[in-house]
Amino acid sequence: MLYPKSRLTALSLALSGALLLSACGGGNETASTLVGTAFKGPIDNAQINVLAQNDELIANGSSNAGKFTIPGLDNLPADQVVFIESLNGQYTDEATGELVTPANTGLMTAFTGAELQSLIANQEVIAMTPETTIMARLVKKFLAAGMAPAEAIAEAKTRVESQLIDGTSPIGGMAESLLLTGDLSTAIPADQNEALARNRAISFSYDAQSKNLRPEQVFELITATVDDLEDGTLDGIDASGNAVVLTDRDSQPLDLSTVDRKTDYGLARTRLLNNTINRLASGNLSDAERSELEQMGIDTGYFDQLAQANAAAEAQTAANLLATNLPDFNFLPVLTDEDGDATNNAATYTLTATPDVNVTINAPGASWTTPMLRYNGIELPPVIEARRGDFMTLNLNNSLNEDTTIHWHGFKIPGDQDGGPDYPVAAGNSMTYSFSMLQPAASLWFHPHPDMRTGEQVYRGLAGVFLLKDAISDQLEANNELPSGAYDIPMLIQDRRFADEVNGVRELEYRNRPMDADGMLGSDILVNGAILPKLDVETRQYRLRIYNTSNARTYNFALSDGSSFTVVGTDGGLLPEPVTVSELMLGAAERAEIVIDFVNYNVGDRVMLISKAFAGSNMMAMDAMNMDGGNMDGMSGMNGGSGDMGGMTGGSMGGNGMPGNGGGMTGGNMGAVDLTDMAVNGRRMDVMRFDIATQAADPVTLYTALPATAEINTQRLQASDADKVRDFVLTMTMGNMNGGGMSGGNNGGMAGMSFLINGKSFDINRIDEVVNLADGDTEIWSIQNMSPMAHPFHVHAIQWQVLDRNGVPASGVDLGWKDTVLVQPGETVRIIGRFDPLVNYGDYMYHCHILEHEDDGMMGFFRIQ
C-alpha cells in the first residue's frame, strides 16, 4: 500500500511549488535554507522546529504535504547536536485510511551542527521518519548520560539499524541502512533506498494495527521503542529492567516484552509489500505506485505478462470446454487387505517402492510413456482404506537405489512410526510400520520423507491415498447426508514438467532451471495421472476429495462458470458445518472434501474445474534475485524487448493442447520469458472437466451440522486452553542467480538461497523444540511468514485447529482439522493442538511443505516427552 492516485497528483503539484519557492531565494538564501520532509505518510501543516542541543528554538516553519523549508540557518553550533522535530499536523494512516492528527507529538531527527550545515550547503533534503525519530530520541538519552554528540548520534544510528532494520527487508533479506536524507514526500522515490525507507515508515502503521493500537498510537509505539532500545536490545525491557507496556485500543495492557518486536516489524513490512503487489496483480495500482515498486526492486512488467497469460488461459478454457479429445478420468486402484479377513479390525498392506515403472500419460489428443517411481509397480497411486480403531501393519520394501521412507501424512501415531528422515530405509532394505488408527474419518495420504530427497521422490511418483472412515462418516453416508460409494472420488492433483518426446517417451524434468529452487512447478496438471481429463457425471451431488500433492503449487480451485460448491472436510476430517464457497485455495499438501451439485445442469452441459488466477509469484517479480541480466537458463531478455511466449507455439500449451502462438506478447520487463512453460504459481490453469451425461435423482440431503459427539465439536480449543505458545518465523534470503545458477550437492539450490525457520537450517542431529507433556498437553504454535512468498507449514504428530490469521478468529473452512496451513507473506497464523500422551511420543518434524524448501533446510525437529 502506497498512496491513492488522486493524492499523488495533488502532492506532486504541491511539491513542485515548494521546490520552486526554495530555489527563488538566490544563492545566499539557498545556502542557509534547510529543506526536509516529515514522512509517516506525508505530514501536512505540522509545526517544524529546529532546536539546539539544550532545546532552545533556533528556527521554525511548517510543512506542506510533508515538505518544509526553513531559511536563515547559518552559524549552527558545529560540535553540538541540532534536532529537527515536527509537531501536530495531520496525515492519512496507510493501514486504516483514517486521518491522524498527532497531538503535541510528531517526528524528529538529529545531526551535529557541522553535518547539518554541510547538508544545507549541498542542498540535500533531510528525512524525518519513525526510525529517525527513534534515533534522535535515543541521542537525547545518550547526551543526558554524558555521551559526546557525535558518538551519541553514531551509537543511536547503529542501534536502530542493528536492532530494528537489519533482517526485516521484504525483498529477500536485502541489506538496508537508516535513511537520514532524501525527499520521501515525492510521488515517486528517487531510488531504492528511498523506496525502502517509505516502506519502513508506512509499516509502523501496519505494526501498530497488528497490535490493536489506534492509528495515532503509532507515536506511542515509537516512544516505547526508544525506551526499549535505551539498554541496547529490542526486547521489550527498558533500561531499568521493567517491561515496556502500552494500553491498546480496548484499554488492555500490551506488554512488549511478550512479543518479538523485530519480527512483528518485519511481518508488517512484508504484509505491506504483499498487499501492494496483490493490488498490482488485480490492476488496482496507480502509475506512481507501480514506479515505486520498480524502485524497490519489483519487476511490475512480470504481472503485466502474467495478466496476458491469464487472459489467454481463460480463452483456452472456452476451447477446452468444447474439445472432443480429452482423456478419460482415472479412478485410483484400491489395495486389498492382505490378511484376507475384511471383518476384523486389523489390516496388512505391502508397499514396494519401485523405480522405472513405465507409466502411460494420457493428455488431450496425445499420450506417451514416462518412467516413474511407483508403489508396487502400479501405474497409478494406490488407495488404502481403513476404519478408526484398525491396527495397521504396513510393510515397506525399498527397491530404489537410495534411502526412502513412508511418512504417514496427517496421522496421529508415535514418532518412530511417523516415517520421517530420522528413520531411513536403505536401498534393498525393508521396514514395517505398525500403529492403530485413533482419529476421526479423514482424507489422509502417504509419501516418502528421506533427508534432502523428499521433493524428487514425490515428484517422480511416490504417493498414495489413505481413506479413513468412522462411525460418524458411516452414519452420514447411511442417512444420505453425504455422497458415498461411486459418488465419493479421491483426486490427486499434481503438476509436472515433461521433456520433449523421444521414441514415445517423455522423461520427467526436475530442478533443471534456477527458479526451481523456489519450488518445483510443472507446466502440466495431472489429475490421477491424466492431463486435463473429463469425468462423466449425473445430475446429482458428488463428493470430491481434492488432494494437492504437488511439490510447490498453490491452487485456487473454482468452477469455470462461477458456480458455488460446498466444502465439507479439510485435512483431518469433516467440518462441523458445511461451508459454501465460490473458490478454495489449497497450498501444497492441503486437502479438502468438496461437494459439487450438478442438479442445475442439463445433460450435455460441461463445466471445468479450474485454478483461478491469483497473485502468487512475487518471487518471480523481484529484480533483487539478480538473474544475471535476465538470462535464466536460456530464457533471455528479462529487462526489455519482446517475446512470443515460446511454449505456446507448435499447437500445444505444455501438453494441454492449446493452439496458437500466444499473441506475440511484447513489452514490459520480462521480455522473452515464457510464462506458459514456466506455469508460475498464480497463473490460471484448467484442471479437469465435468461432462453432465445422465439425468438422475439425487437421494442426498447434505448434513447441516455434525453430531455433537464429533471430536471437532467436543475438542474445540480456545487460546485459554494452551499451556505454552511457540513462535516459528519463516524467512528466506536470495543470493546471486546467475545463468545456470544451480549449486552443487543433492539440493541443486540457487546460489545464495536459504530457507530458514527461526533463523536455522535443518540439522538432523539437532532437536529444535521439546514438548514436555508434564508441563501441559495443549500448545499454540504461531507461524509467522517474513518471506516474500507463501509457505504451506506442515506439522506432524496430531491434527491442529486454526485459532486466527493476523488476529482475526478462524471461520468457515479454517474451522476444520488441519495438519498443513498456508501462510501468506506477512501473515501470522496461530494453530492450537492437544497432544495425546498415549500416542504422541518421540521425535517429529515441522517444515514447509514446498518440498524443495524442506529439502533445502526449511524444517525442524521437535520431541514430545
Side-chain angles (χ1 to χ4, degrees):
M1 176 175 179
L2 304 174
Y3 305 105
K5 191 171 184 179
S6 59
R7 183 171 177 80
L8 284 166
T9 302
L11 179 60
S12 298
L13 293 173
L15 293 179
S16 298
L19 289 171
L20 181 61
L21 288 172
S22 67
C24 287
N28 290 335
E29 183 176 339
T30 301
S32 63
T33 298
L34 172 66
V35 181
T37 56
F39 188 87
K40 173 55 226 86
I43 301 181
D44 189 42
N45 200 32
Q47 177 182 334
I48 307 298
N49 296 326
V50 180
L51 303 168
Q53 185 169 308
N54 62 2
D55 286 337
E56 288 185 5
L57 182 66
I58 297 175
N60 61 10
S62 62
S63 68
N64 182 357
K67 193 74 170 281
F68 60 85
T69 57
I70 300 179
L73 290 180
D74 47 18
N75 299 319
L76 294 172
D79 59 349
Q80 297 291 302
V81 176
V82 177
F83 295 96
I84 303 100
E85 68 175 6
S86 73
L87 295 176
N88 306 318
Q90 61 184 23
Y91 68 95
T92 300
D93 179 74
E94 295 86 355
T96 64
E98 297 179 26
L99 188 65
V100 178
T101 55
N104 299 315
T105 189
L107 303 177
M108 181 179 282
T109 190
F111 301 91
T112 64
E115 289 173 336
L116 188 58
Q117 206 76 71
S118 176
L119 293 173
I120 292 171
N122 292 325
Q123 300 182 37
E124 292 192 56
V125 181
I126 70 156
M128 287 196 294
T129 66
E131 293 165 324
T132 67
T133 305
I134 296 167
M135 182 271 292
R137 292 185 184 176
L138 282 173
V139 169
K140 280 186 171 289
K141 288 180 178 286
F142 296 158
L143 291 173
M147 195 176 289
E151 182 185 357
I153 291 174
E155 176 62 22
K157 184 174 183 288
T158 296
R159 288 193 187 182
V160 172
E161 289 180 338
S162 64
Q163 294 294 309
L164 186 66
I165 298 177
D166 287 356
T168 66
S169 174
I171 310 292
M174 177 180 294
E176 301 177 50
S177 58
L178 178 63
L179 186 85
L180 296 175
T181 61
D183 188 350
L184 300 185
S185 63
T186 59
I188 302 171
D191 54 32
Q192 188 176 57
N193 288 334
E194 288 187 10
L196 290 168
R198 282 160 53 134
N199 167 271
R200 295 197 299 268
I202 294 170
S203 295
F204 269 83
S205 289
Y206 278 74
D207 191 15
Q209 182 188 44
S210 72
K211 290 176 167 54
N212 196 35
L213 300 175
R214 298 184 306 278
E216 63 271 19
Q217 286 185 277
V218 71
F219 294 97
E220 295 179 30
L221 186 61
I222 290 170
T223 300
T225 306
V226 175
D227 294 339
D228 189 348
L229 278 178
E230 186 177 1
D231 64 359
T233 305
L234 190 65
D235 57 2
I237 304 294
D238 65 19
S240 299
N242 299 316
V244 180
V245 180
L246 297 176
T247 301
D248 71 11
R249 66 165 65 235
D250 297 324
S251 300
Q252 297 299 309
L254 172 62
D255 185 344
L256 294 181
S257 69
T258 65
V259 301
D260 186 330
R261 285 278 287 112
K262 188 170 186 177
T263 295
D264 286 353
Y265 184 50
L267 289 168
R269 296 190 64 192
T270 302
R271 187 161 60 251
L272 167 61
L273 178 60
N274 195 56
N275 289 350
T276 307
I277 289 176
N278 284 341
R279 290 196 294 117
L280 168 65
S282 63
N284 185 29
L285 208 66
S286 69
D287 291 343
E289 288 175 305
R290 287 178 63 101
S291 296
E292 184 159 354
L293 283 177
E294 291 281 359
Q295 290 285 25
M296 286 186 71
I298 305 299
D299 187 349
T300 61
Y302 162 79
F303 290 98
D304 295 334
Q305 293 219 7
L306 181 60
Q308 294 179 62
N310 287 332
E314 187 171 359
Q316 185 58 32
T317 298
N320 286 337
L321 284 169
L322 298 174
T324 59
N325 62 349
L326 303 192
D328 290 333
F329 181 86
N330 294 322
F331 293 91
L332 300 179
V334 179
L335 299 184
T336 302
D337 181 358
E338 295 171 12
D339 71 6
D341 185 352
T343 63
N344 67 7
N345 64 344
T348 301
Y349 294 91
T350 298
L351 294 164
T352 300
T354 308
D356 300 322
V357 176
N358 287 325
V359 175
T360 300
I361 305 295
N362 292 316
S367 66
W368 61 84
T369 297
T370 296
M372 288 189 178
L373 309 182
R374 287 299 197 206
Y375 288 118
N376 298 350
I378 303 171
E379 284 201 47
L380 295 174
V383 176
I384 293 175
E385 295 179 345
R387 295 190 53 76
R388 183 170 191 166
D390 282 358
F391 182 80
M392 307 300 300
T393 300
L394 298 154
N395 302 306
L396 168 63
N397 297 323
N398 184 7
S399 294
L400 308 180
N401 60 2
E402 61 180 351
D403 289 356
T404 192
T405 75
I406 295 182
H407 167 53
W408 307 99
H409 187 116
F411 288 47
K412 181 179 173 180
I413 55 179
D416 60 2
Q417 301 300 306
D418 186 59
D422 48 336
Y423 285 93
V425 180
N429 287 8
S430 300
M431 179 172 179
T432 296
Y433 300 93
S434 300
F435 47 79
S436 293
M437 300 306 304
L438 301 174
Q439 59 194 98
S443 299
L444 308 174
W445 66 301
F446 53 92
H447 62 80
H449 209 313
D451 189 21
M452 296 193 298
R453 299 291 294 163
T454 299
E456 183 160 6
Q457 288 190 12
V458 173
Y459 186 85
R460 295 198 180 278
L462 289 181
V465 169
F466 195 104
L467 298 182
L468 182 63
K469 300 198 171 193
D470 65 8
I472 289 177
S473 65
D474 289 346
Q475 174 185 330
L476 294 174
E477 292 176 5
N479 293 341
N480 282 322
E481 294 181 273
L482 271 178
S484 60
Y487 306 97
D488 177 5
I489 304 172
M491 295 167 27
L492 259 63
I493 299 179
Q494 305 164 310
D495 59 336
R496 296 292 183 264
R497 186 191 303 154
F498 297 92
D500 292 338
E501 185 172 328
V502 177
N503 297 325
V505 174
R506 295 184 66 183
E507 299 278 353
L508 285 171
E509 294 182 332
Y510 184 70
R511 295 191 78 159
N512 61 326
R513 299 178 182 178
M515 74 287 296
D516 292 343
D518 287 348
M520 187 64 205
L521 299 172
S523 52
D524 294 297
I525 307 299
L526 279 72
V527 182
N528 291 359
I531 297 173
L532 199 62
K534 62 178 178 65
L535 174 65
D536 289 345
V537 297
E538 303 172 9
T539 55
R540 55 159 295 158
Q541 295 175 83
Y542 281 72
R543 178 181 174 191
L544 305 173
R545 300 177 187 251
I546 298 180
Y547 288 73
N548 180 359
T549 53
S550 298
N551 277 37
R553 184 174 299 282
T554 296
Y555 298 89
N556 191 20
F557 292 107
L559 294 172
S560 58
D561 62 358
S563 294
S564 60
F565 52 92
T566 303
V567 184
V568 297
T570 51
D571 301 350
L574 295 169
L575 285 170
E577 297 176 0
V579 178
T580 299
V581 299
S582 59
E583 58 190 66
L584 177 66
M585 186 167 288
L586 294 180
E590 289 189 294
R591 290 91 67 204
E593 297 181 35
I594 70 171
V595 173
I596 300 178
D597 192 349
F598 297 102
V599 70
N600 293 322
Y601 293 94
N602 297 315
V603 172
D605 287 346
R606 296 169 177 176
V607 65
M608 191 76 68
L609 180 67
I610 66 170
S611 180
K612 289 182 65 175
F614 62 95
S617 297
N618 300 350
M619 288 288 294
M620 286 299 300
M622 291 189 176
D623 286 341
M625 293 167 77
N626 186 22
M627 299 185 188
D628 193 29
N631 196 348
M632 299 197 313
D633 194 25
M635 294 182 292
S636 60
M638 283 285 288
N639 291 318
S642 63
D644 66 359
M645 290 297 286
M648 294 175 74
T649 62
S652 70
M653 180 177 175
N656 281 336
M658 180 173 180
N661 61 11
M665 292 190 178
T666 62
N669 292 330
M670 289 294 288
V673 170
D674 178 6
L675 294 185
T676 303
D677 190 40
M678 288 164 61
V680 294
N681 242 331
R683 204 202 75 184
R684 178 186 170 118
M685 305 183 82
D686 288 351
V687 177
M688 66 172 291
R689 194 177 77 190
F690 300 105
D691 291 6
I692 292 78
T694 307
Q695 187 76 34
D698 187 0
V700 173
T701 300
L702 203 61
Y703 76 95
T704 56
L706 285 184
T709 56
E711 284 184 22
I712 196 65
N713 293 321
T714 63
Q715 296 186 18
R716 174 61 59 190
L717 300 173
Q718 306 297 325
S720 57
D721 296 323
D723 306 295
K724 186 176 180 61
V725 177
R726 299 178 194 267
D727 294 321
F728 298 86
V729 182
L730 314 181
T731 57
M732 54 188 292
T733 58
M734 296 174 290
N736 184 27
M737 294 170 51
N738 52 14
M742 309 284 280
S743 65
N746 289 335
N747 295 345
M750 278 176 213
M753 180 75 75
S754 61
F755 305 91
L756 308 174
I757 301 177
N758 291 343
K760 296 181 290 188
S761 185
F762 176 66
D763 183 343
I764 200 167
N765 298 309
R766 184 187 67 229
I767 300 298
D768 298 285
E769 303 285 337
V770 176
V771 177
N772 287 303
L773 295 182
D775 298 331
D777 58 6
T778 303
E779 295 197 354
I780 293 171
W781 287 21
S782 178
I783 320 302
Q784 303 159 34
N785 185 3
M786 276 182 62
S787 85
M789 66 185 297
H791 297 279
F793 192 81
H794 173 51
V795 189
H796 298 199
I798 61 174
Q799 288 289 330
W800 302 76
Q801 297 167 18
V802 176
L803 270 181
D804 48 48
R805 292 179 181 268
N806 286 340
V808 178
S811 62
V813 176
D814 266 349
L815 293 178
W817 293 111
K818 296 289 294 177
D819 56 58
T820 307
V821 290
L822 186 64
V823 187
Q824 297 292 341
E827 188 175 38
T828 295
V829 180
R830 294 198 308 160
I831 59 177
I832 187 169
R834 177 169 290 158
F835 299 103
D836 184 347
L838 298 179
V839 177
N840 296 131
Y841 49 85
D843 297 341
Y844 300 89
M845 315 302 299
Y846 56 84
H847 57 87
C848 175
H849 218 285
I850 294 176
L851 296 181
E852 287 66 42
H853 294 185
E854 170 195 325
D855 283 345
D856 288 352
M858 206 171 202
M859 181 163 61
F861 260 133
F862 71 102
R863 173 168 293 166
I864 303 176
Q865 61 186 26

